[in-house]
Amino acid sequence: MSVTLNSVAKQGKHGAAMMPIIQGVGRAAIEIAAVLRSAVFRGALGQAGSENIQGEQQQMLDVLADEIFFEEMRSTGFVCAVGSEEQEELLVIDEYTQADYLVLVDPLDGSSNLDVDGPVGTIFSIVRRKTANSDRPHVSDTLQSGQEVIAAGYVLYGPALMLVCSVGTGVNGYTFNSSNARFELSHPDIRIPETGGYYSVNESNSDIWLDNMGDNLERLKNKTGLGMRYVGAMVADMHRTLLKGGIFLYPADNKNNTGKLRLLYEAIPMGFVMEQAGGKAMSKNIAVLDIKPDTLHQRVPVYLGSKTKIDILLDS
Ligand code: AHM
Ligand code: MG
């Protein structure tokens, strides 16, 4: 008998509480994957004609993925609110304002890959509310550091549909088996290799990087001789880094002074997974998981990878 997503319930002290929400993520992933496969036939590729809170053009698929994810979180009955990269405000689930958990999500990460049939992903994290259950959930409930995250993970829409997650007891990867419609445990206890791997960064920005990252990357390349891979979809670049080793970076630059990636929707969930897999997640010289968020859509520089590679990068 194969091990499925139900096994999350047996993992650590939070597994049982997290299982229904992570199963909801799995249902959303199956639906989003189906929408991605058929988008071209439904006229759902291309821009939606709207902008998200960060002034970026939303793709139709960004909007659809956001709606699907929200509905699946609502249907769990365990989520009181969802903070999404695609929504300006926290979305409260009116039927379940008393529920214990909030979910933060980037519903369709790497959406610039959509027009070229490249890999994309969904990134999520789960926190427990700080306000009383009798109160309406508030944006302050989402502004918790990565040290308070209970579970996090990502979905990779690649040749196979994968859900990789952690409830704080290591990292497991599940692959969707379409013959029985289940996510089956295919990558148990993922640990990032300390040797080998690649460096992964949009190096075309190296002239405008801040924080001495140009020199830092040169030092890493000279000391390790790492090869380079870059998909431009964080989920795909993170997944390869996790399985093969190396480093993924999105530094601050003189156009994006605080970096491009969002603290709550990208940096913290991926930092949580990376650390649970034995790696390191830094933002300049601060651990990603130690940053206390100020706002829902805050951006930070991100460096994720194996401990030795991150230490060489930061000369620490
Ligand atoms: P998105 O959430 O709007 O898709 O943007 C985030 C993406 C990440 O997936 C990826 O790491 C990064 O943007 C790539 O940026 P660039 O094209 O500047 O290299
Ligand atoms: Mg994103």
Side-chain angles (χ1 to χ4, degrees), residues 85 106 108-110 123 261-262 266:
E85 185 180 303
D106 180 353
L108 202 54
D109 182 67
I123 309 172
L261 300 179
R262 268 67 39 144
E266 291 158 332

Side-chain angles (χ1 to χ4, degrees), residues 59-315:
Q59 308 252 356
M60 281 181 264
L61 288 170
D62 283 323
V63 176
L64 281 171
D66 191 46
E67 287 170 4
I68 291 168
F69 192 89
F70 180 80
E71 271 312 304
E72 287 301 343
M73 292 301 101
R74 195 181 62 75
S75 77
T76 68
F78 292 98
V79 178
C80 61
V82 175
S84 165
E85 185 180 303
E86 301 302 332
Q87 299 285 340
E88 181 168 358
E89 311 280 351
L90 181 69
L91 289 186
V92 173
I93 299 178
D94 285 319
E95 302 119 282
Y96 300 112
T97 55
Q98 83 298 344
D100 286 333
Y101 299 104
L102 293 95
V103 179
L104 293 152
V105 67
D106 180 353
L108 202 54
D109 182 67
S111 45
S112 69
N113 272 350
L114 288 170
D115 289 341
V116 297
D117 200 25
V120 288
T122 297
I123 309 172
F124 70 96
S125 63
I126 306 170
V127 292
R128 199 182 175 99
R129 68 189 298 165
K130 293 283 183 196
T131 48
N133 292 64
S134 51
D135 292 345
R136 193 168 169 80
H138 185 260
V139 67
S140 60
D141 287 315
T142 67
L143 303 180
Q144 303 191 41
S145 83
Q147 301 294 354
E148 297 180 88
V149 164
I150 298 173
Y154 59 83
V155 176
L156 175 57
Y157 307 96
L161 175 61
M162 283 198 70
L163 196 165
V164 174
C165 63
S166 173
V167 293
T169 55
V171 180
N172 289 302
Y174 301 82
T175 302
F176 184 65
N177 183 345
S178 55
S179 67
N180 61 20
R182 292 188 183 125
F183 279 95
E184 296 187 6
L185 183 64
S186 52
H187 296 63
D189 195 19
I190 296 173
R191 307 287 300 170
I192 181 170
E194 278 300 326
T195 55
Y198 301 93
Y199 74 94
S200 183
V201 63
N202 187 341
E203 214 167 357
S204 68
N205 293 329
S206 60
D207 286 349
I208 59 168
W209 284 339
L210 303 177
D211 311 312
N212 209 34
M213 287 310 289
D215 290 346
N216 287 355
L217 185 66
E218 284 310 309
R219 179 175 56 249
L220 179 77
K221 285 159 62 177
N222 291 336
K223 281 202 175 168
T224 61
L226 286 181
M228 188 269 203
R229 294 281 186 280
Y230 190 66
V231 175
M234 186 187 194
V235 172
D237 286 317
M238 163 79 177
H239 188 64
R240 185 196 53 254
T241 305
L242 210 53
L243 296 187
K244 301 286 185 191
I247 195 162
F248 164 80
L249 321 174
Y250 208 106
D253 60 48
N254 65 15
K255 287 194 202 133
N256 304 294
N257 283 329
T258 57
K260 177 181 183 187
L261 300 179
R262 268 67 39 144
L263 176 60
L264 285 170
Y265 312 118
E266 291 158 332
I268 286 179
M270 292 308 209
F272 184 87
V273 171
M274 184 54 82
E275 295 223 341
Q276 284 292 323
K280 206 160 170 175
M282 298 295 288
S283 180
K284 299 207 265 188
N285 53 0
I286 308 166
V288 166
L289 300 189
D290 287 342
I291 302 173
K292 176 82 179 76
D294 295 319
T295 59
L296 206 47
H297 297 287
Q298 178 177 350
R299 296 172 193 256
V300 292
V302 176
Y303 325 138
L304 306 173
S306 66
K307 283 181 178 156
T308 43
K309 306 288 187 328
I310 295 280
D311 288 346
I312 295 171
L313 181 84
L314 297 180
D315 207 13

